[in-house]
């Protein structure tokens, strides 16, 4: 005969603290009714059960800390105070004091349950990121669709993502067009259009189009998996302020115990108190002086801020960085890939009369066979303009100069001015002057000729991010004292970009170690300095800065690993949000600490001046702890 296993209800698993508090409350009520009815024996039988059920978890945690870490904590102080009240009640045969001790445990357990719910709410907001991963992917192999575990995907696999599905891993689109909801990963509120050549990220939600992706990196290296690893790290690392409070709590708990012992011994000899009154006041002192509210002043606030940032596409690696970003006084920006998009784009086409279409046809025919980023930008621009061209033959690249080939058995040339213009004459003064003007503005000029005739020039440049100018303006409005741009690019191009977005101080032609030197000089003047970058060459400066901030999607793995904060959507305005969130968290932490300390002083004064009862002291103590915890949760709101 097989045994029948009865599963525990889900409610018992999810709410053990609440259930213990409810049972404790019911038993206290029954014991009080028994006392009122004169059933002393029944009351004394029920009350120990209330003490055990309500105080078991606190006693276990307090004793574990005492024996393993050789430290006292507030859990153990509460249990000592409750047992002291019970002992005093038995000694004086005032059995209501035993009920008072049970009420202390009840309120402490209710407070613990409420704090647990508050913290779980914060953790749920953080863990929601971890639910964005798919377990399986549709892989196309030999023309057949197969379901494969995401962990088993390999570089080069082609994955099919149907409409409405989660993207299982990072990849590049090789077929299809769709809009994707990237809000869970990058915080972007609007769906983003994606087509062939674009990269998509695991955890984003596909729209109405089917997509075929090619995997270019292992699944464990995907953006969402890096986010999950960083979030887990953020949850386990306590910032310096919290570490200080924890150290303070241990010394403070010892001081409370010593003071409590003195209060339980000295007053009868100096002030003539009765021993019963002395012990009762000492027990209340142990309760109201405990730093529970102070302990709850920081971490709930910072975890709420981290969760809020994650929802908006800002990943704080730990609470320390949330604290520091609010104190930043100067910011250094890398140029390429941070203030600019990082990819060259065609800015303007300067064509000889009636030659614009032919210019693009010739340039695209040669550049479609080039691997140079500038050539790629010209090729893509021609495709966007729906230009059709003939295939070039005998194509040859001339390193650092240009590219040549034949189209219809006639020579075509694309490249730098010296390379093309020394081989072809007849360039108009207007074209040369216009090209020179664009070059002075920091643009790269590509010249095009065909069959010995000049066709024109194409201006290519790395374009400024659309939001860069407004982001810089808003940072200045926030009171950031100095904003500088760091780049390895030439002075002329750097100045042009800086003028366009409103940055006054520019450091150009820098090597990675030079960027570190600039950040150090800023730290000498402003102490707390942020560095924003995306590339491998930014990693040393990111590490040197008080707060290193990386661009999440454009950033290199080295930059992401080195940085303290990651802007998931590569949206610079999120930096403004991060600073505001950091400042707000700093204000809330200060408010919480002030409130917690003030309430401890108030309760201590009331204990010796107004002679408050033990339950009232407990309500004041635990109420302040719950209020401080709920105050920290304000940061969950945008």
């Amino acid at each position: 005969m097989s045994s029948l296993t009865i599963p525990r209800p889900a409610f018992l698993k999810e709410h053990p603290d609440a259930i213990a508090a409810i049972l404790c409350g019911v038993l206290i009520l029954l014991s009080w009714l028994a006392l009122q009815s004169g059933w002393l024996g029944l009351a004394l039988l029920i009350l120990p059960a209330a003490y055990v059920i309500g105080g078991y978890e606190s006693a276990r945690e307090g004793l574990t800390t005492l024996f393993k870490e050789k430290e006292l904590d507030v859990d153990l102080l509460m249990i000592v105070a409750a047992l002291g009240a019970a002992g005093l009640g038995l000694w004086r045969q005032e059995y209501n004091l035993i009920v008072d001790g049970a009420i202390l445990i009840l309120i402490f357990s209710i407070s613990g349950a409420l704090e647990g719910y508050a913290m779980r709410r914060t953790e749920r907001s953080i863990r929601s990121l971890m639910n964005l991963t798919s377990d399986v992917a549709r892989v196309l192999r030999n023309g057949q669709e197969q379901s494969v575990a995401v962990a088993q995907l390999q570089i080069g696999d082609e994955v099919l993502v149907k409409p409405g599905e989660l993207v299982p891993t990072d990849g590049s689109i090789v077929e299809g067009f769709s809009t994707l909801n990237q809000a869970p990963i990058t915080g972007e509120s609007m769906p983003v259009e994606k087509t062939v050549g674009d990269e998509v990220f695991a955890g984003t939600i596909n729209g109405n189009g089917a997509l075929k992706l090619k995997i270019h990196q292992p699944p464990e290296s995907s953006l969402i998996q890096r986010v999950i690893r960083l979030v887990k790290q953020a949850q386990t690392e306590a910032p310096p302020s919290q570490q200080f409070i924890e150290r303070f709590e241990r010394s403070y708990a010892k001081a409370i115990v010593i003071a409590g012992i003195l209060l339980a011994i000295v007053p009868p000899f100096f002030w003539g108190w009765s021993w019963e009154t002395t012990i009762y006041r000492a027990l209340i002192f142990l309760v109201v002086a405990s730093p529970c509210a102070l302990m709850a002043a920081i971490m709930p606030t910072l975890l709420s801020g981290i969760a809020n940032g994650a929802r908006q596409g800002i990943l704080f690696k730990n609470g320390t960085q949330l604290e520091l970003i609010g104190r930043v006084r100067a910011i250094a920006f890398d140029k390429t890939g941070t203030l600019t998009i990082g990819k060259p784009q065609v800015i303007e086409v300067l064509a000889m009369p009636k030659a614009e279409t032919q210019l693009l046809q010739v340039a695209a025919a040669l550049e479609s066979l080039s691997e140079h980023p500038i050539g790629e930008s010209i090729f893509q621009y021609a495709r966007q303009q729906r230009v059709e061209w003939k295939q070039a033959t005998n194509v040859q690249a001339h390193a650092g100069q240009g590219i040549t080939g034949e189209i219809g058995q006639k020579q075509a040339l694309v490249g730098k001015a010296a390379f093309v213009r020394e081989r072809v004459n007849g360039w108009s003064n207007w074209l040369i002057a216009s090209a020179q003007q664009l070059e002075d503005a920091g643009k790269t000029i590509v010249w095009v000729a065909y069959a010995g005739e000049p066709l024109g020039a194409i201006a290519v440049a790395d374009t400024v991010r659309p939001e860069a100018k407004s982001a810089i303006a808003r940072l200045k409005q926030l009171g950031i004292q100095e904003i500088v741009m760091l780049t390895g690019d030439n002075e002329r191009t750097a100045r042009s970009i800086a003028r366009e977005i409103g940055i006054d101080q520019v450091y150009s032609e820098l090597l990675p170690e030079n960027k570190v030197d600039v950040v150090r000089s800023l730290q000498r003047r402003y102490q707390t300095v942020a560095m924003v970058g995306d590339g491998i060459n930014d990693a040393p400066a990111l590490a040197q800065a008080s707060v290193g901030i990386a661009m999440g999607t454009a950033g290199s793995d080295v930059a992401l690993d080195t940085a303290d904060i990651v802007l998931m959507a590569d949206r610079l305005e999120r930096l403004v949000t991060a600073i505001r969130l950091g400042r707000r968290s700093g204000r809330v932490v200060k408010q919480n600490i002030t409130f917690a300390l003030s309430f401890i002083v108030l309760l201590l004064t009331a204990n010796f001046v107004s002679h408050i009862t033990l339950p009232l002291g407990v309500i004041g103590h635990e109420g302040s702890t719950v209020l401080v915890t709920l105050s920290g949760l304000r940061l969950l709101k945008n």
Side-chain angles (χ1 to χ4, degrees), residues 41 71 164 221 325 360 390 428 501 583 587:
E71 297 287 352
S221 299
I325 191 68
L360 290 175
K390 295 179 181 178
S428 70
I501 60 179
R583 291 181 178 179
R587 287 195 301 270

Side-chain angles (χ1 to χ4, degrees), residues 227-461:
V227 170
I228 290 171
R229 286 196 293 271
L230 294 175
V231 167
K232 287 179 178 177
Q233 177 183 324
Q235 287 180 285
T236 56
E237 291 187 3
S241 57
Q242 181 66 20
Q243 291 172 9
F244 170 78
I245 290 292
E246 288 173 359
R247 290 194 300 270
F248 170 78
E249 182 225 2
R250 289 166 183 170
S251 302
Y252 184 74
K254 293 174 185 175
I256 289 174
V257 171
I258 294 170
I261 293 170
L262 291 174
L263 285 171
I265 296 173
V266 172
F269 297 104
F270 287 90
W271 297 297
W273 289 12
S274 68
W275 283 107
E276 293 88 346
T277 301
T278 300
I279 293 172
Y280 191 62
R281 291 292 133 207
L283 292 174
I284 296 174
F285 171 81
L286 284 179
V287 172
V288 300
S290 297
C292 293
L294 193 61
M295 291 299 298
I298 296 176
M299 280 311 289
T301 302
L302 296 183
L303 284 176
S304 297
I306 289 170
N308 189 330
R311 287 204 310 268
Q312 300 187 71
I314 308 162
L315 180 61
F316 296 95
K317 290 189 178 180
N318 55 54
T320 304
Q321 310 313 326
L322 180 59
E323 288 185 317
L324 283 175
I325 191 68
R327 300 203 292 266
V328 162
R329 297 170 60 202
I331 302 177
F333 285 94
D334 169 57
K335 178 182 77 70
T336 306
T338 303
L339 293 172
T340 66
I341 293 173
K343 294 180 180 178
Q345 293 182 323
V346 174
I347 302 300
E348 192 170 343
V349 176
L350 304 172
M352 298 290 280
K354 299 180 182 181
E356 182 169 346
T357 300
Q358 188 181 20
L359 182 152
L360 290 175
Q361 287 174 333
V362 170
L366 295 183
E367 298 292 14
S368 63
L369 303 174
S370 169
E371 295 181 354
H372 195 281
I374 290 177
E376 175 69 17
S377 69
I378 294 172
F379 165 65
Q380 292 295 344
Y381 179 79
R383 285 184 58 184
Q384 291 168 7
Q385 301 300 312
R386 302 185 185 280
V387 172
E388 296 182 359
W389 59 85
K390 295 179 181 178
Q391 187 72 33
T393 58
N394 298 326
V395 176
Q396 184 176 357
H398 301 262
Q401 298 297 317
I403 187 169
T404 60
E406 292 182 359
I407 304 173
Q409 298 182 341
K410 294 181 180 178
Q411 189 180 47
L413 297 93
V414 176
K416 291 183 175 180
F419 178 73
V420 178
R421 285 166 54 187
E422 71 181 11
R423 289 168 171 77
V424 177
N425 297 317
W427 302 89
S428 70
N429 292 332
W430 162 82
L431 182 63
I432 293 171
S434 299
Q436 185 61 51
Q437 192 174 10
L438 287 168
E439 260 189 330
D440 291 340
K443 309 299 186 288
T444 299
I445 306 299
V446 178
W447 297 80
V448 183
Y450 176 63
E453 298 289 332
L455 295 180
I458 301 172
V460 177

Side-chain angles (χ1 to χ4, degrees), residues 197-216:
D198 291 334
E199 186 170 10
V200 298
F201 307 108
T204 56
I205 304 167
N206 189 19
N208 296 324
L211 298 174
K212 185 190 291 185
L213 313 178
K214 190 166 187 177
I215 308 304
H216 56 75

Side-chain angles (χ1 to χ4, degrees), residues 58 74-75 78 104-112 292 618 622:
S58 295
V74 292
D75 294 285
M78 291 299 105
L104 187 159
I105 287 178
L106 172 63
I107 297 174
F108 196 62
S109 64
I110 291 172
S111 172
C292 293
V618 174
E622 297 304 320

Side-chain angles (χ1 to χ4, degrees), residues 24 28 32 47 51 82 96-110 614-616 618-619:
C24 180
I28 291 171
W32 179 80
L47 280 168
Y51 272 69
N96 283 326
L97 286 176
I98 306 178
V99 177
D100 285 353
I103 291 173
L104 187 159
I105 287 178
L106 172 63
I107 297 174
F108 196 62
S109 64
I110 291 172
L614 184 61
L616 191 59
V618 174
I619 290 172

